[in-house]
Amino acid sequence: MFSAEQSCWFVRKVICWRAAASIAWAVLLLPPITAVFVILSRFSLLHPIQTISECLFLLTSASAIFSLILLCGVILMVGFLNLEYYTVIPTIACSKIALLGQLLHPRQFLSSLAHCIMGIIVAWCCAITIGGRYETLAYPLPQSDGSDSSPQMCLNEYHLILLLAGAFVGFSHSLLGVIHNMNYVSFHTVQQYKYLRFKGSLPLVVKCSATQALYSVRNYMVVYFFLGYIPKAWICKTLNLHLNSSAHPLDSIAGLLDLSLLYHLWISASFLLFTWHITLLLFRIFVTEVYSFPVQSTFTEDAHQCLPKVLTDKQPMILKFLALQDLALLSQHSPSRRCEVFSLSQPGGHPHNWNAISKECLSLLADLTQRLVAYHDTVATNGRAKSLSTGSERKTSSETSVTSGTEDLMSPRPSILLKTPASVFARSVVGGPQSPLTAPFTPDLDSPFASPALRRLTAPVEQCSPWFGTVQSPHIMRRGPKLWSTSTDSQVNGSPLSSPASVPSPKQEPSKPSLLAQFLQNRKEQVKNFLAKRVLIMYLFNKLPEASSQALFADSQAHIWALEGLSYLVQASFSEDQFGVVQTTLPTILSCMLVLQEAVDRHFKLPHASSKPVRSTGSMGDSTYKTLRFALRATLKTAIYRITTTFGDHLNAVQMSAEHRKRLQQFLEYKE
């Protein structure tokens, strides 16, 4: 086990330097961007030559140089925030209340405050650059009687409205960053040079900056129209300034319809967002650049930097993702490095490199399979939280549900059984020791959203009742303790079905809850019923349609690379593996892929899982995580086909269960 200092070597030696390089390029691009902003803010069609000469004079003035230094400081701060808040696994809110919790998080509050301050600084630099009526916060108002007394200092509302616009745009940018996952860093499928990626993304950055600035200015105008008097009064009282009664106030319809003011607000907001978006784009390009890890090292002190060791590290996640990306690339394009993966250790002759790589990849795939089984089992039982008399029984029921689903997926089953989790069809003897309170796809009776009529219809019937064991309606049947599991087990074992009377039913006295527990349970039900009748509560707590499925596959980029790396290495081992190290784990690899294939197919049969979301092109937020589940399904099927087309009929000699062999035969015959 390596120390924490060794596990963070990648952040110190690679990530920090890449972030510094992205910030340096953003600073170098700042002067030409500022020059374009000066030209656009001062350009005049009637006097083009005079405008260009004024712009050149302004760019060489002391105020412009000082503004450029402040803008460089803002770029450094934006780059630091990008490095602090970036993630390779997006945070997906499954409900409105979860998204609200992210927006109100203290860490997000600090980020929003920092963006507001930086927005004010950039807006002040824009006001100095534009000049004219925006240049100063206060101006002297000469006395009307012509006396020599000191003139009154009046508030320049044009300067104030520009500063507040910078704060508002910065705050909006911070909130939109959370909503659109702007801190999410994705990896491109097609590898390109950094310059080509930057050149291809530049039009999108310009479009997103201009569009977001337009919407931000629109929203800001509405807010300033209703609340603009508050900052004006506060500034005047704090700085002992006066309002010019002869000037039109800007928090009125006549003041806000000034086209020149609207244009300067929009061009300043576009400049602010463009510099921040450029910094973010450069950070994404530099951080996701391919890094080549050595497969094996000659020196012991560098062993923690080798690919087999790096793959097992859990933190930082960027290190694991880049290692998996490198594994996928070397498995496709590097025969010399593949030979190192297939090599044996000296002395000893053990395939340590292959064992470590394959073990980690299979562990990732098995983890995703278990998550899919647990999610499907929860959806199949309508996400019920069983309300039993004790907490231990509730825990036992949930654990039994997940375990049974996993065993059902991981073990071979006869073809006569349905391919659904065993927990869906698990129904026990009435009063038995293992009685989960779930029926196949039954509604949640304990939910506050279940109607009283539904509770009466699904309430258990006493055995002494004349309705017990008889048909009450064409849709509702009350029977004795006849089990789906009994019928299923009989089919598996080949024995005839047993009657309900032959099933032993041990009598156990149910433990009665205490008076305090009953009182708390009743109060809990009352609160749930009260909140369920409120539309706002329902709106906040209802789950978003596709969010749960997107959150389930949020880190699937790692599984995609694991599948590509394993499949390409297995394909190359057909001709390059001289010692046959891959053949020992080939049955495990095939079984793991087939089990995952079955779990993925089962997931896509659920509602909202197969509907593709519309990609938003008007934001800098990366929405590729919304389609990761489709990329994973395609990659998984391609990986299995890659192995079957390479080995062909040789796979018939591989030991596997009858169920997996039948599924594999479908791929061999190109029927999947």
Side-chain angles (χ1 to χ4, degrees), residues 175-482:
L175 295 184
L176 291 176
V178 177
I179 296 173
H180 297 299
N181 272 305
M182 286 190 186
N183 61 335
Y184 169 58
V185 176
S186 64
F187 295 81
H188 277 221
T189 305
V190 180
Q191 301 299 320
Q192 290 180 307
Y193 291 107
K194 293 190 289 292
Y195 170 73
L196 296 178
R197 283 191 60 184
F198 178 79
K199 180 182 177 182
S201 303
L202 195 58
L204 178 63
V205 175
V206 175
K207 176 185 175 182
C208 292
S209 302
T211 305
Q212 185 177 340
L214 186 63
Y215 287 116
S216 298
V217 170
R218 180 201 64 182
N219 299 335
Y220 171 69
M221 289 289 97
V222 175
V223 173
Y224 192 82
F225 177 76
F226 290 102
L227 304 176
Y229 68 93
I230 298 177
K232 280 198 304 182
W234 182 75
I235 290 292
C236 291
K237 183 178 180 180
T238 304
L239 301 180
N240 196 18
L241 299 177
H242 301 275
L243 291 176
N244 190 358
S245 58
S246 61
H248 289 287
L250 297 182
D251 55 347
S252 61
I253 296 179
L256 294 179
L257 289 180
D258 188 350
L259 296 181
S260 176
L261 172 64
L262 294 177
Y263 173 75
H264 285 118
L265 287 176
W266 174 72
I267 200 69
S268 300
S270 301
F271 171 72
L272 181 150
L273 293 174
F274 184 75
T275 54
W276 292 2
H277 288 165
I278 282 291
T279 309
L280 177 62
L281 174 64
L282 290 171
F283 178 80
R284 290 175 177 175
I285 293 175
F286 275 86
V287 167
T288 57
E289 186 182 3
V290 177
Y291 188 87
S292 181
F293 296 89
V295 178
Q296 53 189 3
S297 176
T298 307
F299 304 100
T300 308
E301 57 270 15
D302 296 334
H304 64 280
Q305 301 182 10
C306 296
L307 184 61
K309 298 295 183 182
V310 168
L311 283 174
T312 59
D313 290 339
K314 303 300 180 183
Q315 294 294 334
M317 289 304 299
I318 183 68
L319 173 60
K320 192 178 189 68
F321 272 60
L322 286 174
L324 288 168
Q325 183 188 39
D326 184 44
L327 173 65
L329 292 176
L330 79 86
S331 63
Q332 301 178 50
H333 310 296
S334 181
S336 59
R337 299 180 70 194
R338 286 199 301 262
C339 290
E340 295 183 37
V341 174
F342 300 144
S343 64
L344 302 179
S345 62
Q346 297 296 332
H350 299 288
H352 292 307
N353 295 332
W354 167 252
N355 288 341
I357 291 175
S358 61
K359 180 181 178 182
E360 182 61 28
C361 292
L362 291 175
S363 175
L364 284 173
L365 300 181
D367 177 69
L368 178 60
T369 303
Q370 292 179 3
R371 289 191 340 230
L372 289 173
V373 171
Y375 178 79
H376 185 275
D377 191 56
T378 303
V379 173
T381 56
N382 292 307
R384 296 184 62 181
K386 289 81 177 176
S387 61
L388 302 177
S389 58
T390 60
S392 59
E393 293 179 1
R394 178 164 56 248
K395 180 179 179 182
T396 303
S397 176
S398 61
E399 290 178 353
T400 304
S401 174
V402 176
T403 305
S404 61
T406 308
E407 291 175 353
D408 178 70
L409 185 66
M410 302 296 288
S411 60
R413 293 159 295 172
S415 58
I416 60 174
L417 299 181
L418 296 176
K419 294 179 182 294
T420 49
S423 60
V424 177
F425 295 101
R427 192 182 297 175
S428 307
V429 182
V430 176
Q434 300 174 354
S435 59
L437 304 180
T438 56
F441 302 96
T442 54
D444 188 0
L445 305 180
D446 299 325
S447 173
F449 314 118
S451 62
L454 185 61
R455 290 194 179 107
R456 288 195 300 269
L457 289 175
T458 54
V461 180
E462 300 294 336
Q463 294 191 10
C464 59
S465 173
W467 294 104
F468 182 77
T470 62
V471 179
Q472 302 179 42
S473 71
H475 304 286
I476 302 176
M477 299 180 64
R478 298 290 185 184
R479 296 187 178 182
K482 184 174 181 179

Side-chain angles (χ1 to χ4, degrees), residues 25 53 173 294 467:
W25 276 105
S53 61
H173 175 76
W467 294 104

Side-chain angles (χ1 to χ4, degrees), residues 570 582-591 594 643 647-658 660-661 664:
V570 171
V582 177
Q583 310 308 317
T584 58
T585 54
L586 185 57
T588 307
I589 294 174
L590 287 174
S591 299
L594 291 173
I643 297 175
F647 286 85
D649 294 334
H650 296 287
L651 295 177
N652 294 327
V654 177
Q655 295 183 358
M656 62 178 62
S657 63
H660 291 165
R661 188 171 300 281
L664 188 64

